[in-house]
Amino acid sequence: MTFFDRLAPHRESHAASRAGWLRAAVLGANDGLVSVASLMVGLAASGASTSTVVTGGLAGLSAGAMAMAAGEYVSVSSQVDVETADRAKEARELTEAPEAELAELTAIYESRGVPSALARQVAEALHEADPLQAHLRDELGHSEHTAANPLQAALASAASFLGGGLVPFLGLLAGSTTARLWLIVAVTLCGLALAGVLAARAAGTTLLRPTVRVVIGGGLAMAVTAAVGQLAHVSGV
């Protein structure tokens, strides 16, 4: 390595750049696994036929994927609207009161431990280069790496929901009703564990805590729906 190679900035990869779609994908996969499995477990526990369990599972799979996509798109679009409004407000304030905005940016750097003279110098330099971007980044916390993308979030959520929601159908390979019930639970818990591990690795965090959290949450959801289905079966509803 040469002297100039050592001076060159190194490239880093951070999870923040994946935060938008990763959150949607993790949520979609977990919801797909838990929602479809819980629906199928509840139907199976109620004594429903295999065809009814399959029909219910497919209905939950298709409806859930569309709901996740629509929900993510609307939610993230609202976030984009807020960011756009903030951008317009900052641009207006910079036009109407540039000195006040410069003082505000200087105070932000001072609050972060930068000496007053240097904070003023940095704020002035940034105002000369791109004042709007400086205020969006340092005052409001906006960043191009974490900017909301409604379509990306919707597609990631729907695709991961479909992928997760197909896993519980493996439980139908068992022969008897009881065996199918337990196999649905088993494959779903395995899927949740895998989803937790993949999400933790993508986010760059430790594996154990997020994986256990996902598995316990999904297990509780299935237990509740199984109890409801069994109660309906016993009561003859």
Side-chain angles (χ1 to χ4, degrees):
M1 180 180 292
T2 67
F3 172 77
F4 294 104
D5 290 331
R6 289 194 295 269
L7 290 181
H10 67 284
R11 294 184 177 181
E12 295 182 349
S13 176
H14 295 286
S17 60
R18 304 188 293 267
W21 68 262
L22 179 60
R23 179 195 62 80
V26 170
L27 182 61
N30 288 344
D31 274 6
L33 282 159
V34 175
S35 299
V36 176
S38 296
L39 180 59
M40 295 174 69
V41 164
L43 289 171
S46 70
S49 64
T50 300
S51 61
T52 300
V53 175
V54 172
T55 302
L58 290 175
L61 182 66
S62 56
M66 293 301 99
M68 289 294 295
E72 280 293 330
Y73 188 85
V74 171
S75 174
V76 178
S77 293
S78 298
Q79 182 181 343
V80 172
D81 292 341
V82 171
E83 293 176 355
T84 301
D86 284 343
R87 186 181 187 91
K89 180 181 178 182
E90 282 300 318
R92 184 172 62 254
E93 290 176 347
L94 282 166
T95 301
E96 296 174 351
E99 283 301 321
E101 289 297 297
L102 178 61
E104 184 178 28
L105 195 61
T106 301
I108 290 173
Y109 298 142
E110 289 177 344
S111 68
R112 296 175 182 175
V114 180
S116 298
L118 180 58
R120 178 75 179 190
Q121 183 180 357
V122 171
E124 290 176 344
L126 290 176
H127 261 232
E128 290 179 3
D130 191 344
L132 179 58
Q133 189 59 40
H135 281 271
L136 291 175
R137 180 184 61 247
D138 296 328
E139 181 183 345
L140 301 178
H142 292 186
S143 170
E144 60 181 9
H145 299 296
T146 58
N149 187 323
L151 183 59
Q152 183 186 60
L155 292 176
S157 181
S160 59
F161 186 98
L162 286 172
L166 288 173
V167 171
F169 285 90
L170 296 173
L172 299 176
L173 297 175
S176 66
T177 300
T178 302
R180 281 195 293 271
L181 180 61
W182 284 108
L183 187 55
I184 290 172
V185 172
V187 296
T188 301
L189 291 177
C190 290
L192 287 169
L194 179 60
V197 169
L198 292 177
R201 291 186 69 87
T205 63
T206 57
L207 301 182
L208 183 60
R209 179 175 294 181
T211 302
V212 171
R213 183 172 58 224
V214 168
V215 171
I216 291 177
L220 289 174
M222 287 187 289
V224 170
T225 52
V228 172
Q230 184 64 29
L231 180 63
H233 176 63
V234 171
S235 61
V237 176

